[in-house]
Each structure stands twice: as structure tokens, then as C-alpha cells.
Amino acid sequence: MPGPEHQNSESISEEAVSPWKEAYWQLRKNKLAIIGLMIILFFIIIALVAPYLTSNTYSTINAADRLHPPSSQYWFGTDDLGRDIFTRIVYGARISLMVGFFAVTGALIFGTLLGVLAGYYRRWVDMLISRIFDIMLAFPSILLAIAIVAILGPSLQNALIAIAIINIPIFGRLVRSKVISIRQEEYILAAKAQGMKSGRILFHHVLPNSLGPIIVQATLGFGTAILEAAALGFLGLGAQAPTPEWGRMLSDARQYIQSAPWTVLFPGLSIMLVVLGFNMIGDGLRDALDPKMKN
């Protein structure tokens, strides 16, 4: 029969579960997050194998099949120039996911850097960075993106840059608030007392303990970035013809909503599903990583 010491060691080992492992198990139990993950994986696979799903090219014009309804030949029908909508949808998945990835990555890097500097050093550094964030957040995000693209010129690359810029203060303020709460922890004060340099403290203690909310915001930011890219494309400020960007496809098809509704249905449905998938994953990550949400 095991003694009390052996029983205590077993109970301690069972309780000693890392926060990230616990968050992983919490996420696995969230059915909506799993559904969201499956949606995103579906679109990622489509984007990767796009050339094998269709033999058509997304820019080929066929006036004879103009506004052809969905059929065995054209699964999603054709647009006003006779282009296969299914082909344009699967290739458009590459563009939307690419925009989401690079825009969020850029905003994450610069926003995290500025947020860490503002939250850790405080004083005039915090005041300067926070005022810049306040000025940027004073404008509606889509209007600020339109202004940036208008200055740089309409293109997919400039739309990506604009989306990254308008999301920087969102990450920056989130990281700043987290760093302010962490910098007063005992282990940070102990590291300072031992003479550890500020850079080492930031990268070895502050940032690792701020990853939870950053990951959640980055996941939600993917959906927001894709939606903003679609909005800019719809306004003619993002991807230019014949690039098969979903927002641009909606803009080209808006005058055929009643006569050829499939030209609007499939691009709009694709945007909705991708954004929904990222939001469901983000909500699941928030529930898994936020201790206040756990029972």
C-alpha cells in the first residue's frame, strides 16, 4: 500500500499541468472553435491545391458563356465576362489568406514592439506612443485605411500596408496594458534587483507572459483584416482587375444582384465563412487562455 508521501507526489504531478497544455485541452473541448478550425483548414487546403481543382484560369474571358448559371461545367456559374467563378473563388482564397497573414503579422510585430516600450519604460515614451495610438484610433479604421491607400495608390500591396497600419494601435494598447500589469510582479522586481538588463527582462519574462491576449487578438485580427481587404477591394482601392479578390468580385457583380445572384452569392459566402471561422477560433482561444473564463 503506497504511503502518504507517494500519494502526495502523485497528486502534485497530476496538478502540475502547464498553462499552455491546459489551454490546449480546453480548446479541444470547445466545439465551436473546432468547427472554426475546420473551416479555416478547408480554405487553406483549397488555396494550396487551387491549380488541381480546376483546369480554367481565373482571368480567361469567354463572352459566349457570359453570366452562365451554375451547372456541371461551371459549378458556381460565370461572371459578366464569362470567367469561371469557382476558379476565381479558389484562387481568391490565396489572396485573402495572404492579406490576413501579412497584415496581421506586420501589425503584430510593430504593435507589440511599441506596446512593450510604452508599458515598460512609461514616462515620456509611454505618453508619446499612447498619443499616437489615440490619434489613430480617433479615426474609423476603414476611413483611415482609405486615406492611406489614397496616398499610396490603389493596389493589393498598398491595401495590405494600410490594413497593417490601422491595426497597430489595437495590438499596441493591448500589449501596453498587459506589460504595465506584469512589470510590477515580484519576479520582474527580483530580476531587476539581480542586475538583469531591460532587454533580457523584456524578451525572457515580459513578452512570454503576454502571449495569451496577443494570440487571441491576432486570431481575431485575421478575420478583421480579410474583411477590411474585401471592403477596400469593393471600393476599388485594393486588388485591381483581373486579380480574383473576393471584395473586388463583389464590386464587379453588384449590378447583377437580381439578374445573376450567383455572381454575388459565392464571393460573399466565402468572405462570411472565413471571417466566421477565425472569429470562432479566436473566441475559443480567449476562453481557453483567459483564467477568468475557466470554471
Side-chain angles (χ1 to χ4, degrees), residues 107-117 168 171-172 175-176 179 207 214:
L108 175 64
I109 293 173
F110 289 100
T112 300
L113 177 61
L114 293 174
V116 166
L117 293 176
I168 286 175
F171 285 97
V175 174
R176 173 185 175 273
V179 171
L207 273 180
I214 295 175

Side-chain angles (χ1 to χ4, degrees), residues 99-111 164 171 222:
V99 168
F101 175 78
F102 285 105
V104 170
T105 301
L108 175 64
I109 293 173
F110 289 100
F171 285 97
F222 270 98

